[in-house]
């Protein structure tokens, strides 16, 4: 367990984020086992043959799954196992009620539960620079933070169960709002004859700058074709964020605008590209 530095981590879901977390945990010296419904494995990470074996091999279970349905299915599957002493950390970008509704049943099976969505793509996980927002009771959150501190110093407890996802909604929606603003302003720069690199560099160097844009400059300018997180994933998150806002009886018109812009870019074939491609396109197409 944590006392001897060998907390055993079981990662459920080995997509872009899950595999990055598994690798980072392993780099930090923790014993890591992975399992997916599809049988996917990650080089260098031990693979459990089934969910029962993963639970048996783990002190902490970290879920990293694609959508609401996948998380609901996996939490329900976990309820079929003895979870005594296990910490369940749900890191997926899904509406909070999925975990909140199952919290009492998970506790009955012996689990301690926290939600802890991640802000930042796989490259930020590997670099130890991602943000993780933890929701849960104080004891559960403290235990989760001790584990997640192995991934990043930016793991912070923000409130009760579900508050982690609300904080990610606020954080990442502000990024989406900024990009929506660029979509309106960059065509103006082009029509006035200001080069894309110049307008973004000036923004980056002043109070209107944003680290996300500064860090993506090589991608925006076409110098780096790699994809940190695809635009299709950003659009999926936009839908989740809007539902989180609505669940609290509020509206976020800027998210609707951002979502429409994302769907337009996806319609132009940019769904598998980094969102940087949509920023560049808004300048050139405006």
């Amino acid at each position: 367990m944590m006392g001897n530095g060998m907390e055993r981590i079981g990662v459920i879901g080995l997509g872009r984020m899950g595999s990055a977390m598994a690798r980072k945990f392993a780099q930090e010296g923790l014993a890591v086992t992975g399992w997916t419904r599809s049988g996917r494995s990650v080089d260098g990470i031990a693979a459990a043959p089934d969910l029962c074996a993963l639970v048996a091999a783990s002190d902490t279970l970290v879920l990293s799954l694609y959508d609401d349905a996948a998380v609901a299915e996996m939490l329900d599957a976990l309820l079929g196992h003895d979870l005594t002493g296990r910490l369940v950390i749900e890191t997926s970008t899904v509406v909070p009620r999925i975990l909140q509704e199952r919290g009492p049943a998970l506790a009955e099976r012996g689990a301690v539960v926290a939600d802890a969505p991640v802000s930042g793509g796989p490259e930020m996980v590997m670099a130890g620079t991602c943000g993780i927002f933890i929701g849960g009771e104080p004891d559960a959150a403290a235990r989760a933070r001790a584990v997640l501190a192995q991934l990043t110093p930016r793991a912070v407890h923000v409130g009760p169960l579900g508050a982690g996802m609300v904080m990610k909604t606020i954080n990442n929606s502000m990024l989406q709002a900024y990009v929506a603003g660029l979509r309106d302003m960059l065509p103006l720069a082009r029509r006035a004859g200001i080069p894309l690199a110049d307008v973004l560099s000036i923004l980056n160097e002043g109070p209107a700058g944003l680290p996300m844009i500064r860090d993506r400059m090589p991608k925006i300018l076409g110098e780096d074709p790699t994809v940190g997180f695809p635009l299709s994933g950003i659009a999926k998150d936009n839908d989740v964020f809007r539902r989180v806002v609505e669940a609290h009886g509020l509206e976020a018109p800027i998210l609707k605008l951002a979502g429409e812009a994302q769907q337009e870019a996806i319609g132009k074939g940019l769904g598998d590209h980094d969102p940087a491609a949509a920023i560049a396109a808004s300048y050139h197409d405006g």
Side-chain angles (χ1 to χ4, degrees), residues 201-222:
S201 293
I202 289 167
L203 289 173
N204 290 340
E205 292 163 7
L210 191 70
M212 180 191 73
I213 302 299
R214 184 189 65 228
D215 295 344
R216 271 191 159 77
M217 284 293 282
K219 297 182 191 293
I220 296 171
L221 299 178

Side-chain angles (χ1 to χ4, degrees), residues 4 15 85 102 128 136 157 172 177 193 234:
N4 62 15
R102 292 165 175 80
H157 181 208
N172 287 41
I234 300 288

Side-chain angles (χ1 to χ4, degrees), residues 16-18 20-21 64 91 93 116-133 151-152 154 168 171-172 175 212 215-216 228-230 234 237 241 274:
R16 287 173 181 266
M17 293 298 288
M21 287 192 285
S64 180
T91 72
T93 302
V118 182
S119 180
E123 71 287 350
M124 291 182 70
V125 172
M126 294 307 298
T129 58
C130 63
I132 303 181
F133 313 120
L151 297 179
T152 176
R154 296 178 57 222
K168 176 167 181 175
N171 185 83
N172 287 41
L175 303 180
M212 180 191 73
D215 295 344
R216 271 191 159 77
F229 191 69
I234 300 288
D237 287 357
F241 299 157
D274 192 273

